[in-house]
Amino acid sequence: MSVAKEKFTQISPAEFFKKNPELVGFTNPARALYQTIRELVENSLDATDVHNILPVIKITIELKDEEKQIYRINVEDNGIGIPPQYVPYAFGQVLYSSKYVYRQTRGMYGLGVKAAVLYSQMHQDKPVEVVTSPLNSKRIYKFKIKIDITKNEPIILERSSISNVNNWHGTSVTIYIYGDWIRSKQKIYEYLKRTYIITPYAEIIFKDPEGNVVYYPRITTTIPKPPQEVKPHPHGVDLEMLKGMIAQQKTNMTIKEFLIEGFQSVGEVTAQKVLELANINPEKKIHDLTEQELVVLMNTLKKYEDFRPPTADSLSVIGEELIELGLKKIFNPEFVSAVTRKPKVYQGHPFIVEAGIAYGGSIPQAKEPIVLRYANKIPLVYDEKSDVVWKIVEEIDWKRYGIEGDQYQLVVMVHLCSTKVPYKTAGKEVIGDVEEIEKEIRNAIMEAARKLRLYIAEKRKEEEAKKKLITYLKYIPEVSRSLAVFEVANKEDVVKLNSIVNEIQTKLLELVSKRLELKDILEYAKQVKVESE
Ligand code: ADP
Ligand code: MG
């Protein structure tokens, strides 16, 4: 019997993602086109609003080779740009990022644009082109880059620079993708529209391969407060992280100093208490701690209940005002409401849930509510039904909130922001089930829905009242005559009687009509006509 020998090899992260592009959303040509747009737009937004710059983003898709279905995609922004020494790595090395920090950003894996470059290289031979100028830079830099897949390193094919005469800053990225516009068109349009709903402070111009141009104008100059970088919270710590943080410390400080310096929510008193619980001498130097001590320390940090909850400074919400503005602009509804909840925590990560509801008006009638999901300001467009948000919207008994019949004219928007969004996959489309988050999403939707219920109840009450008034209107002539009879001593004096009837009638009409609008009176007129026919 012969035994086959196993062959062991190691592959680079670049090769891994090239072999498994579906893990990052590149499942087929349609999805690839959509995903590329998305990664580029997200990077552009991260380079602008996070840094307090009002975004201007231009997106162009052109069909370059009809037979091979190669599309040229260009996205240009007015963001902070990229220092030239980092450009090759940012675009040519998988898992290289400026966003591995405790601060909410759209990107978080250091993967997005490289996934697009890898996919691009699999189907055609043009490199990615990057033109960029950092803020206040005197030069504009241009690069053509490919990824060396076996080494996970950038290959720089071209590098040049010109003088920045107009003080431009920003980045323009061009990638050639084997794509399918027809099958991705609807999703791409949906993605851009949903992006605009929550970024009405951005100006977005999109030119599609058919030559259509869509322009989303800026309708406000209010940018949500940008997120701040913060230190990690001790509840989110794990052993490797603790070791890594200690290894990075150049000075051999005491463990007590380290806890105060390295984490949020830890002061003198807390550090002392934690170390007592862990049975570690607070004066012990960090580089002298044993592995055993680190394990005990990690477990103590995780379990200690008296830390202040994580700060929400690292988060950036959209805010009730902007949510309402965006929903109004896109859906032209009869009613909107929005809610930004207070910060909460799961597994040591702070998070905030926001919800918006739009009702009636120009919202199309449908069998189901329109659900708009967002995570860290990214619209999630695919795989809607496997998301926790959908589950919650389905569970809610909308009749209790005043929505009648089996047709909805309802938009439910949910935004989750966190320093760590529990996506189900690296393609970032679906939020996984985390109990604390699910509860907050439900609370947020219900809070916004209660405002809708009040509105609908108020509206119904008004309608009832108007109906009553219209009924009164019908009886005014009769009532006026009866009242007049009491007033006039000599019932034979017809002239006097009529004038008093008129007087009373005018007064009553005035009283009633003050509380009605023209359309109600027209409605009354219609009823009278029907009755007399
Ligand atoms: P991630 O967005 O998860 O960090 P990417 O691969 O998409 O990963 O991007 C890598 C890095 O390249 C980013 O962290 C950022 O520093 C830089 N970058 C990419 N696009 C832009 C842009 N348009 N403007 C400024 N920086 C950018
Ligand atoms: Mg990115």
Side-chain angles (χ1 to χ4, degrees), residues 228-394:
Q228 259 142 49
E229 193 181 333
V230 298
K231 296 171 188 171
H233 189 274
H235 278 164
V237 78
D238 62 55
L239 189 58
E240 285 307 320
M241 179 177 153
L242 195 59
K243 282 190 194 165
M245 285 171 72
I246 288 177
Q248 268 175 22
Q249 290 294 338
K250 295 205 178 61
T251 51
N252 198 4
M253 54 173 79
T254 68
I255 179 65
K256 184 169 152 192
E257 284 165 343
F258 169 78
L259 289 182
I260 297 170
E261 167 107 10
F263 292 95
Q264 51 167 293
S265 313
V266 183
E268 222 17 79
V269 181
T270 311
Q272 188 75 32
K273 263 197 219 153
V274 167
L275 290 166
E276 248 163 55
L277 286 171
N279 215 356
I280 298 173
N281 175 4
E283 301 308 318
K284 191 158 184 177
K285 295 283 189 312
I286 43 173
H287 296 309
D288 301 338
L289 289 169
T290 64
E291 176 99 16
Q292 192 50 42
E293 281 174 320
L294 287 177
V295 172
V296 177
L297 179 58
M298 172 199 67
N299 286 327
T300 315
L301 287 172
K302 263 194 181 328
K303 279 195 217 117
Y304 187 76
E305 284 186 353
D306 292 338
F307 293 122
R308 261 173 285 127
T311 162
D313 291 350
S314 54
L315 304 183
S316 169
V317 297
I318 302 161
E320 296 172 357
E321 216 172 292
L322 281 187
I323 296 176
E324 288 186 3
L325 188 70
L327 288 175
K328 267 189 208 153
K329 171 85 182 167
I330 293 290
F331 293 102
N332 187 28
E334 177 187 328
F335 171 86
V336 284
S337 68
V339 168
T340 299
R341 301 272 302 171
K342 291 216 176 64
K344 291 272 156 48
V345 185
Y346 83 95
Q347 297 161 18
H349 311 291
F351 72 95
I352 296 178
V353 174
E354 303 182 275
I357 283 190
Y359 166 80
S362 311
I363 301 172
Q365 293 241 353
K367 283 227 160 339
E368 293 171 329
I370 299 172
V371 174
L372 308 177
R373 298 170 297 135
Y374 296 88
N376 283 0
K377 299 188 182 162
I378 304 175
L380 310 181
V381 175
Y382 276 94
D383 309 331
E384 176 168 70
K385 304 251 153 126
S386 36
D387 192 289
V388 59
V389 173
W390 187 267
K391 191 179 108 191
I392 294 169
V393 170
E394 241 180 4

Side-chain angles (χ1 to χ4, degrees), residues 9 174 206 381:
T9 41
T174 307
F206 173 45
V381 175

Side-chain angles (χ1 to χ4, degrees), residues 327-521:
L327 288 175
K328 267 189 208 153
K329 171 85 182 167
I330 293 290
F331 293 102
N332 187 28
E334 177 187 328
F335 171 86
V336 284
S337 68
V339 168
T340 299
R341 301 272 302 171
K342 291 216 176 64
K344 291 272 156 48
V345 185
Y346 83 95
Q347 297 161 18
H349 311 291
F351 72 95
I352 296 178
V353 174
E354 303 182 275
I357 283 190
Y359 166 80
S362 311
I363 301 172
Q365 293 241 353
K367 283 227 160 339
E368 293 171 329
I370 299 172
V371 174
L372 308 177
R373 298 170 297 135
Y374 296 88
N376 283 0
K377 299 188 182 162
I378 304 175
L380 310 181
V381 175
Y382 276 94
D383 309 331
E384 176 168 70
K385 304 251 153 126
S386 36
D387 192 289
V388 59
V389 173
W390 187 267
K391 191 179 108 191
I392 294 169
V393 170
E394 241 180 4
E395 278 169 14
I396 289 181
D397 178 8
W398 290 101
K399 291 205 174 52
R400 280 191 46 210
Y401 295 95
I403 291 173
E404 288 170 346
D406 53 2
Q407 291 282 315
Y408 293 86
Q409 267 189 296
L410 185 68
V411 179
V412 181
M413 175 272 190
V414 172
H415 177 222
L416 163 71
C417 61
S418 177
T419 42
K420 173 101 176 43
V421 174
Y423 290 116
K424 281 190 185 164
T425 69
K428 296 190 285 196
E429 280 295 353
V430 178
I431 301 172
D433 313 271
V434 171
E435 211 185 308
E436 294 92 327
I437 293 179
E438 188 173 331
K439 197 170 139 206
E440 263 305 284
I441 293 177
R442 186 173 285 110
N443 286 339
I445 297 178
M446 284 183 357
E447 196 180 329
R450 276 197 290 277
K451 295 190 199 173
L452 173 64
R453 182 174 60 198
L454 279 180
Y455 168 79
I456 293 179
E458 194 62 31
K459 189 174 132 181
R460 298 239 161 95
K461 228 165 66 192
E462 246 167 58
E463 272 164 8
E464 282 303 310
K466 275 181 187 161
K467 259 195 211 141
K468 265 191 207 147
L469 286 176
I470 286 174
T471 317
Y472 294 157
L473 220 49
K474 285 190 217 162
Y475 292 109
I476 283 179
E478 226 170 283
V479 173
S480 308
R481 188 152 289 276
S482 316
L483 287 174
V485 171
F486 287 110
E487 291 292 320
V488 183
N490 180 4
K491 313 270 180 300
E492 309 303 300
D493 189 348
V494 181
V495 180
K496 179 96 190 280
L497 185 67
N498 278 346
S499 100
I500 290 185
V501 169
N502 270 338
E503 207 176 301
I504 296 177
Q505 197 158 302
T506 315
K507 283 244 170 69
L508 283 176
L509 272 174
E510 210 179 295
L511 265 176
V512 173
S513 59
K514 246 191 216 153
R515 300 184 49 193
L516 290 172
E517 290 161 36
L518 182 63
K519 69 174 189 333
D520 305 317
I521 295 174

Side-chain angles (χ1 to χ4, degrees), residues 10-28:
Q10 188 214 23
I11 62 166
S12 79
E15 192 151 0
F16 174 77
F17 285 108
K18 200 213 87 170
K19 283 190 170 154
N20 303 289
E22 66 286 348
L23 292 180
V24 269
F26 291 76
T27 3
N28 55 54

